[in-house]
Amino acid sequence: MLRLEGIDAFYGDLQALYDVSLEVEQGRVFALVGANAAGKSTTLRVISGLVTPRRGRVVLDGQDLTTVPAHARVDLGVVQVPEGRRLFPFMSVTENLLLGAHTPRARAERDATLKYVYTLFPVLAERRGQLAGSLSGGEQQMCAIGRALMARPRVLMLDEPTLGLAPVLVKRIFDTVRTINADGMTIMLVEQNVRQALTLAQRAAVLESGHLVLHGQGAALLADERLKRAYLGM
Protein backbone atom coordinates (compact mmCIF):
# COMPACT_ATOMS: atom_id res chain seq x y z
CA MET A 1 0.00 0.00 0.00
CA LEU A 2 2.78 2.43 0.99
CA ARG A 3 6.36 2.23 -0.29
CA LEU A 4 9.54 4.16 0.29
CA GLU A 5 12.09 3.65 -2.46
CA GLY A 6 15.74 4.57 -1.87
CA ILE A 7 15.09 7.61 0.31
CA ASP A 8 17.97 9.98 1.10
CA ALA A 9 16.89 12.85 3.37
CA PHE A 10 18.83 15.82 4.69
CA TYR A 11 18.51 18.69 7.14
CA GLY A 12 20.72 21.23 5.44
CA ASP A 13 24.05 19.46 4.91
CA LEU A 14 23.30 16.81 7.56
CA GLN A 15 22.12 13.54 6.08
CA ALA A 16 19.41 11.90 8.20
CA LEU A 17 18.36 8.94 5.99
CA TYR A 18 20.49 6.79 3.71
CA ASP A 19 18.85 4.78 0.92
CA VAL A 20 15.84 3.79 3.05
CA SER A 21 13.38 1.44 1.33
CA LEU A 22 10.41 -0.20 3.04
CA GLU A 23 6.89 -1.36 2.33
CA VAL A 24 3.77 -1.11 4.49
CA GLU A 25 1.06 -3.62 3.62
CA GLN A 26 -2.62 -2.69 3.69
CA GLY A 27 -4.41 -3.53 6.93
CA ARG A 28 -1.19 -4.31 8.81
CA VAL A 29 0.79 -2.69 11.62
CA PHE A 30 4.33 -1.76 10.58
CA ALA A 31 6.69 -0.78 13.41
CA LEU A 32 9.79 1.34 12.90
CA VAL A 33 12.13 1.11 15.88
CA GLY A 34 15.59 2.30 16.82
CA ALA A 35 17.52 4.55 19.16
CA ASN A 36 17.14 8.32 19.49
CA ALA A 37 18.24 10.21 16.36
CA ALA A 38 18.10 7.02 14.28
CA GLY A 39 15.87 8.70 11.68
CA LYS A 40 12.48 7.31 12.69
CA SER A 41 10.63 10.62 12.92
CA THR A 42 12.38 11.86 9.78
CA THR A 43 10.99 8.84 7.93
CA LEU A 44 7.46 9.81 8.98
CA ARG A 45 8.11 13.43 8.01
CA VAL A 46 9.19 12.30 4.55
CA ILE A 47 5.99 10.27 4.17
CA SER A 48 3.89 13.21 5.43
CA GLY A 49 5.58 15.63 3.03
CA LEU A 50 7.18 17.75 5.76
CA VAL A 51 10.67 16.77 4.59
CA THR A 52 11.43 16.50 0.87
CA PRO A 53 13.88 13.70 0.09
CA ARG A 54 16.93 14.54 -1.98
CA ARG A 55 16.66 11.14 -3.64
CA GLY A 56 14.02 8.41 -3.80
CA ARG A 57 10.22 8.18 -3.95
CA VAL A 58 7.18 7.87 -1.67
CA VAL A 59 4.44 5.80 -3.34
CA LEU A 60 0.87 5.24 -2.12
CA ASP A 61 -1.11 2.60 -4.05
CA GLY A 62 1.03 3.22 -7.12
CA GLN A 63 0.75 7.03 -6.93
CA ASP A 64 4.04 8.90 -6.56
CA LEU A 65 3.59 11.33 -3.66
CA THR A 66 7.14 12.67 -3.64
CA THR A 67 6.17 16.11 -5.00
CA VAL A 68 2.64 16.19 -3.51
CA PRO A 69 2.41 18.86 -0.74
CA ALA A 70 1.74 17.81 2.84
CA HIS A 71 -1.84 19.13 3.04
CA ALA A 72 -2.80 17.24 -0.13
CA ARG A 73 -1.39 14.00 1.29
CA VAL A 74 -3.82 14.27 4.20
CA ASP A 75 -6.71 14.36 1.75
CA LEU A 76 -5.25 11.25 0.10
CA GLY A 77 -5.33 9.49 3.48
CA VAL A 78 -1.79 9.89 4.84
CA VAL A 79 -2.28 11.16 8.40
CA GLN A 80 0.26 11.56 11.21
CA VAL A 81 -0.11 11.82 14.99
CA PRO A 82 2.96 13.89 15.87
CA GLU A 83 5.26 13.30 18.79
CA GLY A 84 4.18 15.54 21.65
CA ARG A 85 0.47 15.46 20.62
CA ARG A 86 0.37 19.11 19.39
CA LEU A 87 -3.17 19.79 20.57
CA PHE A 88 -4.67 23.29 20.75
CA PRO A 89 -4.73 23.62 24.57
CA PHE A 90 -7.26 26.46 24.81
CA MET A 91 -9.80 24.76 22.57
CA SER A 92 -12.20 22.09 23.78
CA VAL A 93 -11.79 18.37 23.18
CA THR A 94 -14.55 18.41 20.58
CA GLU A 95 -13.10 21.45 18.81
CA ASN A 96 -9.70 19.73 18.59
CA LEU A 97 -11.32 16.61 17.18
CA LEU A 98 -13.37 18.47 14.59
CA LEU A 99 -10.25 20.21 13.31
CA GLY A 100 -9.10 16.80 12.09
CA ALA A 101 -12.05 16.61 9.69
CA HIS A 102 -11.06 19.61 7.58
CA THR A 103 -10.75 17.90 4.19
CA PRO A 104 -13.83 17.47 1.97
CA ARG A 105 -13.57 13.67 2.18
CA ALA A 106 -13.42 13.74 6.00
CA ARG A 107 -16.15 16.37 6.41
CA ALA A 108 -18.60 14.16 4.56
CA GLU A 109 -18.23 11.49 7.27
CA ARG A 110 -17.62 13.81 10.22
CA ASP A 111 -20.57 12.89 12.44
CA ALA A 112 -20.08 9.14 12.01
CA THR A 113 -16.35 9.41 12.64
CA LEU A 114 -16.86 11.52 15.76
CA LYS A 115 -19.22 8.87 17.11
CA TYR A 116 -16.56 6.22 16.41
CA VAL A 117 -13.88 8.25 18.22
CA TYR A 118 -16.11 8.74 21.27
CA THR A 119 -16.86 5.01 21.29
CA LEU A 120 -13.16 4.23 21.08
CA PHE A 121 -12.31 6.76 23.81
CA PRO A 122 -15.31 7.14 26.15
CA VAL A 123 -13.34 9.50 28.40
CA LEU A 124 -13.19 12.02 25.55
CA ALA A 125 -16.97 11.93 25.27
CA GLU A 126 -17.19 12.62 29.03
CA ARG A 127 -14.78 15.57 28.68
CA ARG A 128 -15.94 16.84 25.29
CA GLY A 129 -16.39 20.42 26.52
CA GLN A 130 -13.19 20.50 28.58
CA LEU A 131 -10.12 22.43 27.40
CA ALA A 132 -7.65 20.03 25.81
CA GLY A 133 -4.78 21.53 27.78
CA SER A 134 -6.40 20.49 31.05
CA LEU A 135 -6.48 16.78 30.12
CA SER A 136 -4.00 14.28 31.56
CA GLY A 137 -1.12 13.16 29.37
CA GLY A 138 -2.85 9.92 28.45
CA GLU A 139 -6.12 11.70 27.65
CA GLN A 140 -4.25 14.20 25.47
CA GLN A 141 -2.71 11.32 23.53
CA MET A 142 -6.17 9.82 23.05
CA CYS A 143 -7.39 13.18 21.77
CA ALA A 144 -4.45 13.43 19.35
CA ILE A 145 -5.17 9.96 17.98
CA GLY A 146 -8.87 10.79 17.78
CA ARG A 147 -8.14 13.99 15.86
CA ALA A 148 -6.09 12.00 13.33
CA LEU A 149 -8.90 9.45 12.96
CA MET A 150 -11.29 12.31 12.18
CA ALA A 151 -9.29 12.83 8.97
CA ARG A 152 -10.40 9.34 7.80
CA PRO A 153 -6.83 8.09 7.24
CA ARG A 154 -5.89 5.22 5.00
CA VAL A 155 -2.47 5.09 6.65
CA LEU A 156 -2.30 6.25 10.28
CA MET A 157 1.23 7.13 11.41
CA LEU A 158 1.90 7.30 15.14
CA ASP A 159 5.10 8.99 16.32
CA GLU A 160 6.06 7.87 19.84
CA PRO A 161 2.46 7.58 21.11
CA THR A 162 3.46 6.25 24.56
CA LEU A 163 6.27 8.72 25.27
CA GLY A 164 6.13 9.94 28.87
CA LEU A 165 3.06 7.90 29.83
CA ALA A 166 2.62 5.72 32.91
CA PRO A 167 2.75 1.93 32.29
CA VAL A 168 -1.02 1.49 32.68
CA LEU A 169 -1.59 4.15 30.01
CA VAL A 170 1.06 2.63 27.76
CA LYS A 171 -0.94 -0.60 27.78
CA ARG A 172 -4.13 1.32 27.03
CA ILE A 173 -2.58 3.06 24.02
CA PHE A 174 -1.22 -0.21 22.61
CA ASP A 175 -4.62 -1.86 23.15
CA THR A 176 -6.20 1.03 21.25
CA VAL A 177 -3.77 0.66 18.36
CA ARG A 178 -4.62 -3.03 18.24
CA THR A 179 -8.36 -2.21 18.15
CA ILE A 180 -7.96 0.38 15.39
CA ASN A 181 -5.96 -2.09 13.32
CA ALA A 182 -8.59 -4.80 13.88
CA ASP A 183 -11.12 -2.35 12.42
CA GLY A 184 -9.08 -2.41 9.19
CA MET A 185 -6.75 0.56 9.64
CA THR A 186 -3.22 0.40 8.21
CA ILE A 187 -0.81 1.69 10.86
CA MET A 188 2.81 2.80 10.83
CA LEU A 189 4.16 2.95 14.37
CA VAL A 190 7.34 4.70 15.51
CA GLU A 191 8.03 3.62 19.07
CA GLN A 192 10.97 3.35 21.49
CA ASN A 193 9.18 0.65 23.48
CA VAL A 194 10.72 -1.99 21.23
CA ARG A 195 9.30 -5.09 22.89
CA GLN A 196 5.70 -3.81 22.83
CA ALA A 197 6.01 -2.49 19.27
CA LEU A 198 7.42 -5.72 17.84
CA THR A 199 4.85 -7.80 19.73
CA LEU A 200 2.06 -5.74 18.15
CA ALA A 201 3.42 -5.34 14.61
CA GLN A 202 3.11 -7.89 11.84
CA ARG A 203 6.10 -6.32 10.05
CA ALA A 204 8.89 -4.13 11.37
CA ALA A 205 12.21 -2.50 10.57
CA VAL A 206 15.14 -1.19 12.60
CA LEU A 207 16.91 2.08 11.84
CA GLU A 208 20.42 2.88 13.03
CA SER A 209 21.93 6.31 12.24
CA GLY A 210 19.68 6.69 9.22
CA HIS A 211 20.39 3.22 7.82
CA LEU A 212 17.82 0.42 7.62
CA VAL A 213 19.69 -2.48 9.26
CA LEU A 214 17.01 -5.09 9.98
CA HIS A 215 13.54 -5.81 8.66
CA GLY A 216 11.07 -8.67 8.73
CA GLN A 217 8.20 -10.04 10.77
CA GLY A 218 7.78 -8.40 14.18
CA ALA A 219 8.02 -11.69 16.07
CA ALA A 220 11.15 -12.71 14.17
CA LEU A 221 12.90 -9.43 14.93
CA LEU A 222 11.95 -9.77 18.58
CA ALA A 223 13.92 -13.02 18.63
CA ASP A 224 16.92 -11.58 16.77
CA GLU A 225 20.06 -11.74 18.94
CA ARG A 226 21.50 -8.49 17.65
CA LEU A 227 18.30 -6.61 18.38
CA LYS A 228 17.95 -8.17 21.85
CA ARG A 229 21.46 -7.07 22.79
CA ALA A 230 21.05 -3.56 21.40
CA TYR A 231 17.53 -2.67 22.55
CA LEU A 232 16.28 -5.18 25.11
CA GLY A 233 19.38 -5.52 27.32
CA MET A 234 19.52 -9.28 26.81
Side-chain angles (χ1 to χ4, degrees):
M1 182 179 188
L2 174 69
R3 292 199 318 275
L4 271 62
E5 301 176 351
I7 296 292
D8 287 346
F10 290 74
Y11 294 105
D13 294 329
L14 177 64
Q15 188 164 1
L17 296 176
Y18 298 81
D19 193 27
V20 171
S21 296
L22 55 83
E23 187 169 307
V24 180
E25 298 176 359
Q26 185 168 351
R28 300 295 187 92
V29 177
F30 185 99
L32 191 60
V33 301
N36 285 332
K40 305 185 301 298
S41 292
T42 299
T43 301
L44 295 193
R45 290 171 64 84
V46 167
I47 297 169
S48 293
L50 299 175
V51 170
T52 301
R54 196 168 294 184
R55 187 179 73 87
R57 299 198 309 158
V58 178
V59 180
L60 178 71
D61 276 342
Q63 179 180 356
D64 189 345
L65 301 186
T66 312
T67 60
V68 175
H71 69 274
R73 297 190 196 195
V74 175
D75 200 24
L76 292 172
V78 179
V79 180
Q80 181 173 343
V81 179
E83 181 181 344
R85 300 143 196 165
R86 308 283 183 91
L87 298 177
F88 294 90
F90 298 109
M91 297 175 67
S92 72
V93 168
T94 297
E95 288 169 336
N96 270 273
L97 293 174
L98 292 180
L99 283 172
H102 67 279
T103 66
R105 182 173 60 87
R107 281 200 301 270
E109 303 289 338
R110 190 179 72 174
D111 291 345
T113 311
L114 185 62
K115 182 178 180 180
Y116 172 73
V117 170
Y118 282 149
T119 300
L120 191 66
F121 301 116
V123 68
L124 296 183
E126 295 170 7
R127 305 185 190 282
R128 66 186 70 192
Q130 188 171 323
L131 295 182
S134 68
L135 299 175
S136 70
E139 291 165 350
Q140 288 188 27
Q141 187 62 68
M142 294 173 196
C143 191
I145 294 172
R147 181 179 60 186
L149 291 173
M150 291 296 298
R152 305 288 294 186
R154 298 175 60 211
V155 179
L156 177 65
M157 300 190 296
L158 302 169
D159 193 358
E160 302 287 2
T162 68
L163 187 65
L165 299 184
V168 65
L169 293 174
V170 170
K171 182 181 183 304
R172 174 68 191 279
I173 294 299
F174 275 106
D175 286 345
T176 299
V177 173
R178 189 174 286 107
T179 298
I180 295 170
N181 176 243
D183 289 338
M185 182 69 64
T186 303
I187 294 173
M188 189 165 183
L189 173 66
V190 162
E191 178 59 53
Q192 288 194 41
N193 191 326
V194 174
R195 186 185 301 278
Q196 290 270 27
L198 296 184
T199 299
L200 174 64
Q202 291 93 1
R203 303 286 297 179
V206 181
L207 276 174
E208 289 183 2
S209 302
H211 298 269
L212 198 66
V213 296
L214 290 171
H215 60 88
Q217 294 183 352
L221 290 186
L222 195 57
D224 185 274
E225 292 299 326
R226 177 180 172 184
L227 185 142
K228 288 195 289 186
R229 288 194 301 270
Y231 301 105
L232 302 178
M234 299 172 62

